[in-house]
Amino acid sequence: MTDDYNSLPPKLAELVADFSTITDRAERTEMLIHYADQFQEVPASVATRPFPEANHVDYCESEAYVWAVPQNDGGLRFYFAVENPQGLSAKAMAAILDQTISGLPAAELTAIPGEIVRTIFGREISMGKGQGLMGIVMKVQHLARQYAQG
Amino acid sequence: MSASDIASRGYAKPEILVSTEWLADNLKNPNIRIVESNEDPLLYPSGHIPGAVEVDWTTDLNDQVRRDYLGREGFEKLAARIGITPDTTVIFYGDKNNWWATYAFWVFQLFGHTNAKVLDGGRLKWEKEGRELTREVPTYPATTYSAPERNDKRIRAFRDEVLRHVEARLPLVDVRSPAEYTGEKLHMDGYPNEGALRGGHIPGAQSVPWARAINPENGTFLAADALRAIYEGEKGLKPSDDVIAYCRIGERSSHTWFVLSYLLGYQKVRNYDGSWTEWGNLVGVPIEKP
């Protein structure tokens, strides 16, 4: 990804910029595990198992799901589930999105590039893994577009 | 599940598996080296079986320039780093039902490291049983390992061999998801096509998603009878068959290669690691869609 983070929502832009400066793999890993530890699963008031196929993230090997719930203030709150208990990367990605873009107006979230995954997780991430994590970003974007279009 | 449980499952080579119980009793065994190999690179640093080293498939097992596995020298360096000799019994385990563990196991077999076993149930079972995990990364004195040249002939298939295999109407197993097999899903919606130009499967390939060989509750391998019901009852394979397994890049199919070769005792199974990312992009090869 280029260093053009200006098009991203501010908190996400800041986070992506922080990750872009990391060159040490262990440091990146620590930060990602820190986010994975903060992952919060979708509450039962929003969704219960079996989760609907409509919320399933394509290509994510960790069986991730994303929900978007409009808020009274006009924002769009996102919720996530990761069914693979060992899907730490998916949990980290979900926690990052939860903390940086959840609650923003849908119109601000329609063009988040999947490429942020490679900046956050490092360019050495495997193609399959990268696709799965980008799938989470794409699902957020897809849901935001639905709401942005009304 | 105990070692005797593994022995009662009717496998051709039951000694290829160790139980979590056995491993817990052998953590200090100087003749073994525990190797964790995961799909998710965050898992090992977040906690692993005490004494386990990590072998990362991207950085440790692949050549960093050409699309290929590491060569003899690279393998010797890897072996030295994890402190093994040809006499060390390497116990592989990992996430995703040992998917990446069997992939690492397969690469080690390209160099003839036959002192190798897989932890039945992998990381999932170890965690579910509440067994100890640590974040302490062990170091072992570097060893000198004299490896043979990599031998691709026996267990690895290349595209021209696959084409001849197809023309000879010999059996292939496509271990990807049903949607990948039918060609319905090829790449991520709304994202540039990174996988393959065309969807479908290699003509004549039977669809057996790799994880069918696993008990999803605890990640252990199904008993031999249940495996035979799938590969032989449903798909008509025979232990004497010359079989090629493939997926997208050869990692999931190494799991099926392991099941057919060691648990069911098939004599000639090869893993086509070029898999769909090669076949689905090749000019002039046949592709079948249902």
Side-chain angles (χ1 to χ4, degrees), chain A residues 18 25 50:
Chain A
D18 283 350
R25 193 179 172 192

Side-chain angles (χ1 to χ4, degrees), chain B residues 37-193:
Chain B
S37 229
N38 292 321
E39 192 252 354
D40 195 321
L42 300 186
L43 275 176
Y44 177 85
S46 76
H48 49 264
I49 295 178
V53 294
E54 183 182 27
V55 168
D56 180 274
W57 74 280
T58 313
T59 53
D60 288 323
L61 299 178
N62 282 282
D63 185 283
Q64 297 305 306
V65 178
R66 56 177 81 194
R67 181 178 172 182
D68 203 352
Y69 299 102
L70 72 181
R72 180 176 59 81
E73 245 178 67
F75 185 76
E76 287 177 341
K77 276 188 193 151
L78 171 62
R81 176 175 76 73
I82 63 174
I84 63 166
T85 72
D87 295 328
T88 310
T89 299
V90 181
I91 315 277
F92 293 91
Y93 79 100
D95 65 346
K96 306 289 292 179
N97 301 325
N98 278 326
W99 158 7
W100 299 89
T102 52
Y103 188 38
F105 178 102
W106 178 75
V107 173
F108 272 55
Q109 298 320 300
L110 296 174
F111 294 95
H113 191 97
T114 52
N115 280 328
K117 298 176 189 295
V118 170
L119 175 66
D120 189 39
R123 193 177 162 111
L124 178 69
K125 188 162 187 282
W126 185 272
E127 276 189 26
K128 277 198 160 185
E129 290 170 347
R131 296 185 187 273
E132 186 186 357
L133 293 171
T134 179
R135 292 183 73 158
E136 192 183 320
V137 176
T139 51
Y140 296 100
T143 46
T144 305
Y145 190 113
S146 177
E149 288 300 332
R150 197 182 67 221
N151 179 1
D152 292 331
K153 247 194 148 36
R154 204 173 55 83
I155 57 171
R156 188 179 183 194
F158 291 94
R159 64 188 184 205
D160 292 344
E161 293 167 327
V162 176
L163 191 55
R164 288 198 292 274
H165 201 84
V166 171
E167 287 163 357
R169 297 179 181 278
L170 293 170
L172 290 123
V173 183
D174 184 319
V175 314
R176 298 173 299 162
S177 63
E180 288 172 285
Y181 177 81
T182 58
E184 183 193 325
K185 274 197 178 174
L186 186 60
H187 62 98
M188 190 166 16
D189 298 337
Y191 202 74
N193 184 349

